[in-house]
Amino acid sequence: QVQLQESGGGSVQAGGSLRLSCAASVWKYASWCMGWFRQAPGKEREEVASIGTDGHLRYAESVKGRFTISQINAEHTLYLQMNNLKPEDTAMYYCAAGDVDAGNWEIDYWGQGTQVTVSS
């Protein structure tokens, strides 16, 4: 069982920055992927960014150039640095993790979420 705990959300004005953190109770070094999703009211949950143990990085088009996903293995922590935030980035942000099987990410674990609110 993997427990994920997010932190770092808050309220900022457009153009501001926030850094989200996700502390994991278990850390894997192979065939594993972690990432960030978000869900705004009335919208479906969408993948924001992900990072795999094979080194792959993936970003949603809407956040490319503004958000950076990273991790510190020794701290068992995943980060999402969010710069130049826009009102449309307002959402609940969730940390996710799971095994990678034949190139497919099977998300088995979710955090409780942290709210990000961006005002214009």
Side-chain angles (χ1 to χ4, degrees):
Q1 187 74 8
V2 178
Q3 294 181 333
L4 304 173
Q5 180 63 59
E6 305 97 335
S7 61
S11 298
V12 296
Q13 290 189 329
S17 298
L18 285 172
R19 187 177 78 158
L20 305 183
S21 300
C22 172
S25 62
V26 174
W27 200 256
K28 297 187 179 183
Y29 295 89
S31 301
W32 185 251
C33 185
M34 295 185 72
W36 293 93
F37 286 71
R38 67 186 180 186
Q39 188 168 20
K43 294 187 177 181
E44 293 188 355
R45 189 174 295 190
E46 63 172 349
E47 182 178 336
V48 175
S50 61
I51 181 169
T53 51
D54 62 354
H56 102 271
L57 292 172
R58 184 166 65 194
Y59 292 94
E61 285 297 324
S62 59
V63 306
K64 281 183 178 178
R66 301 187 298 122
F67 291 10
T68 303
I69 190 171
S70 63
Q71 60 189 26
I72 298 181
N73 292 335
E75 296 179 355
H76 292 191
T77 303
L78 179 75
Y79 296 96
L80 184 69
Q81 177 66 44
M82 305 185 295
N83 297 328
N84 190 21
L85 282 161
K86 303 176 180 181
E88 51 264 42
D89 294 318
T90 295
M92 183 71 78
Y93 283 71
Y94 298 91
C95 180
D99 293 310
V100 177
D101 184 12
N104 296 315
W105 183 17
E106 301 174 353
I107 301 174
D108 292 320
Y109 308 101
W110 293 91
Q112 293 297 309
T114 185
Q115 179 67 37
V116 171
T117 303
V118 185
S119 58
S120 58

